[in-house]
Amino acid sequence: MVLINENFLQLKDSYLFSTIAQKRAAYQAAHPEANVISLGIGDVTQPLCPAVVQAMTDAVAEMSRAETFRGYGPEQGYDFLRQAILEHDYRARGVELDEDEIFISDGSKSDTGNIGDILGAANIVAIPDPVYPVYVDTNVMAGREIKILPTSAAGGFCAAPPDFHADMVYLCSPNNPTGTVLDREQLAAWVNYAKREGALLLFDAAYKAFITDPALPQSIYEIPGAKECAIEFCSFSKTAGFTGTRCAFAVVPKALMGQTAAGEKVSLNTLWNRRHSTKFNGTPYIVQRGAAAIYTAEGQKQIRQTLAYYRENALLIKNALTELGFTCFGGEHSPYVWLQTPNGLTSWEFFDLLLEKLNVVGTPGSGFGASGEGYFRLTAFGSHEQTTEAMERFKKYFGKK
Ligand code: PLP
């Protein structure tokens, strides 16, 4: 019989979203009249903007004619999208990159998971907690030793460099689930750590479009020296509503080196190019045309409107909760509000209370790591109406009686 990858047996089952769905369904079945509002999802709800839809429609028309039909494209992505990224995401922020350092993909989930293919199994991996669970699970699958970096309210839920060695470090800023953002100083401390330890930073910037403060970095390459120690992951999912359409990119600078066990230096860009073009056949042309449209003047205006819509929700949640005396993180520069549960309730006890007393669904913080216990995530991706109604229910229940 075939042998399996036994590392998979070490994975902890993730019941987070299935348990939420089950609890919600059971409550709704018992209370069919209840108007349950979900502020739990991490998925966008606003449609693709008109500029993206038009670009995709035009690309479909191109595909329908023999003269303009396209089959396989470059695995790394089309020039028009890579150039738009270089110009708008990087040059505009003072970062110079080459086109062959950008790899278009079908998502940051795939990229943050797949990057492990080019990295040795003996590397020690440091992962902040709480955080997007894909980093832990993909490294468990690879059999790497994981060292958790617990974060807490005292440190603003921002991971700081540890006093031990790691070879790979995942950073997520703005963070899912805490909504906290690493500032220039904090990122510079990580770049210094990486240089000192010879570590590779894996910087997930999936929520960078939510950052409004110009002083906050949107790319780790805004920190001098980062090109020699960091890979960056960006996604069109939350920036422009591509969660269902699928488009993202990874930046692997040519200055980035790894080494063999014998100490021979090898370019990570070369390895990733080989891995990407061997196991991936390109993001669809139609999708890449849609993604490129967000960089036009019209596209920028339109995605900014949608981002502003979510930001308003985030602020509404944050302000309402703060007024009620909750301790909150995030909610600015992020679609996530991270709140401390009242009266020492566990994350799941608070989930049950919200569902039963307020008919509001959120996400228990403990689902994102042990340091999330006693915390709870609400998201700004609902409608204004639902968000407002949910906060009215909070005020009624938690306000001074
Ligand atoms: N990175 C983080 C931190 C996320 O929260 C998510 C999705 O929720 C992703 C990556 C996945 O992005 P994509 O839709 O591009 O796969």
Side-chain angles (χ1 to χ4, degrees), residues 13-34:
D13 280 322
S14 172
Y15 297 116
L16 181 62
F17 289 100
S18 57
T19 308
I20 292 172
Q22 276 165 15
K23 280 181 178 262
R24 180 183 173 163
Y27 183 85
Q28 194 78 74
H31 305 87
E33 74 298 341

Side-chain angles (χ1 to χ4, degrees), residues 124 126 149 160-171 185-203 220-221 223-231 256-259 268:
I124 296 169
L149 303 174
D163 55 7
F164 54 79
H165 171 78
D167 302 295
M168 297 158 54
V169 181
Y170 287 80
L171 296 174
E185 223 174 43
Q186 289 166 318
L187 280 181
W190 275 111
V191 169
N192 285 340
Y193 172 85
K195 296 228 150 157
R196 190 174 71 239
E197 298 292 330
L200 172 68
L201 303 179
L202 298 152
F203 185 73
I220 193 154
Y221 304 120
I223 310 300
K227 278 191 202 168
E228 287 93 57
C229 64
I231 289 176
L256 205 50
M257 305 301 279
Q259 64 175 356
L268 294 188

Side-chain angles (χ1 to χ4, degrees), residues 42 107-109 132 135 172 176 204 206-207 235 237-238 246 248 336:
S108 287
K109 187 180 204 178
Y132 184 53
Y135 316 146
C172 182
N176 176 13
D204 186 344
Y207 298 94
S235 172
S237 284
K238 312 296 160 87
R246 312 305 305 146
Y336 297 126

Side-chain angles (χ1 to χ4, degrees), residues 90 97-103 115 118 200 202 221 227 230-233 249-257 267-273:
Y90 294 103
L97 290 166
D98 292 336
E99 190 178 312
D100 57 3
E101 295 177 307
I102 310 274
F103 296 85
I115 198 70
I118 64 164
L200 172 68
L202 298 152
Y221 304 120
K227 278 191 202 168
I231 289 176
E232 179 160 290
F233 303 99
F249 60 93
V251 183
V252 187
K254 285 179 283 194
L256 205 50
M257 305 301 279
S267 152
L268 294 188
N269 176 281
T270 305
L271 290 190
W272 183 246
N273 190 35

Side-chain angles (χ1 to χ4, degrees), residues 42-43 105-112 131-135 171-177 204-207 233-238 242-244 246-249 336 368 377 381:
D43 197 355
S105 75
D106 65 352
S108 287
K109 187 180 204 178
S110 332
D111 286 343
T112 51
V131 85
Y132 184 53
V134 168
Y135 316 146
L171 296 174
C172 182
S173 178
N175 187 272
N176 176 13
D204 186 344
Y207 298 94
F233 303 99
C234 301
S235 172
F236 293 93
S237 284
K238 312 296 160 87
F242 276 62
T243 51
R246 312 305 305 146
C247 195
F249 60 93
Y336 297 126
F368 298 94
R377 190 190 76 174
F381 290 126

Side-chain angles (χ1 to χ4, degrees), residues 368-386:
F368 298 94
S371 302
E373 183 56 277
Y375 284 83
F376 204 77
R377 190 190 76 174
L378 294 177
T379 87
F381 290 126
S383 68
H384 276 333
E385 295 70 26
Q386 285 184 325

Side-chain angles (χ1 to χ4, degrees), residues 72 140 181:
Y72 293 125
V140 169
V181 190

Side-chain angles (χ1 to χ4, degrees), residues 115-139:
I115 198 70
D117 275 15
I118 64 164
L119 302 167
N123 286 322
I124 296 169
V125 189
I127 303 178
D129 178 342
V131 85
Y132 184 53
V134 168
Y135 316 146
V136 168
D137 285 356
T138 52
N139 281 288

